[in-house]
Amino acid sequence: MPHTTEARLNEMGIILPRRPKPIGNYLPGVVVGNILYTSGTLGTQPDENDNDVLPHVGKVGSDLTIEEGYASARLMAINHLAMMKAVLGDLDRVKRIVKMIGYISCAPGFTEPHRVLNGASDLFVALWGEENGKHARAALTQHELGLNAPVEADITIELHA
């Protein structure tokens, strides 16, 4: 069945936005062999003027709760899906999520970045299942991220041959 990944997203109530506009001189992703490397992205959404805006800004643990950080990570994962589609043309080319390196902007003493990044990981597992959605991961704390974003990540994806 064609476009089964996008059909699954629709069943989950997720409509892919356009991919985020680049804020620098880079590509949304690069394919090498059967691996897609995505650029880092944030949990932005297009506003009524088609500008990318962050619904959640600041540091988790002072400005934001873990739940708000989780929601930002989920939006970031949706943006990664939009980037994958922009590069690949069809999300059904994705075989599995291999690795995610996440960066969480957090207050001093915050020690639960893994709970924030679960917002992205949980979405990928819900979409592709345990075998293909679950991935290797690092959830790293940061003192600041660009645009005062709470979460950013880059992802490595295996593609069907």
Side-chain angles (χ1 to χ4, degrees), residues 12-145:
M12 295 168 66
I14 297 171
I15 308 278
L16 284 185
R18 61 152 172 77
R19 73 174 173 87
K21 296 175 183 175
I23 57 174
N25 187 14
Y26 59 88
L27 296 168
V30 174
V31 176
V32 177
N34 69 331
I35 301 292
L36 169 61
Y37 301 92
T38 66
S39 293
T41 198
L42 311 172
T44 58
Q45 293 178 311
D47 68 8
E48 64 278 354
N49 297 315
D50 202 35
N51 296 311
D52 292 328
V53 296
L54 286 161
H56 306 285
V57 294
K59 296 179 183 301
V60 180
S62 59
D63 307 314
L64 301 170
T65 65
I66 289 173
E67 293 77 19
E68 290 168 321
Y70 181 102
S72 185
R74 182 177 169 85
L75 286 173
M76 176 201 66
I78 291 169
N79 284 338
H80 272 290
L81 293 169
M83 292 164 55
M84 290 176 209
K85 183 175 179 182
V87 173
L88 301 172
D90 186 349
L91 290 175
D92 288 344
R93 291 188 58 201
V94 172
K95 182 174 183 180
R96 76 166 301 152
I97 304 297
V98 176
K99 185 171 186 177
M100 177 167 42
I101 301 177
Y103 308 92
I104 291 68
S105 177
C106 54
F110 183 78
T111 60
E112 298 187 90
H114 56 283
R115 291 182 57 199
V116 172
L117 200 55
N118 280 345
S121 296
D122 290 350
L123 177 63
F124 294 141
V125 171
L127 181 59
W128 282 298
E130 291 280 327
E131 186 174 325
N132 296 317
K134 198 169 265 193
H135 46 274
R137 187 179 89 173
L140 307 170
T141 60
Q142 303 292 299
H143 70 286
E144 298 284 342
L145 287 174

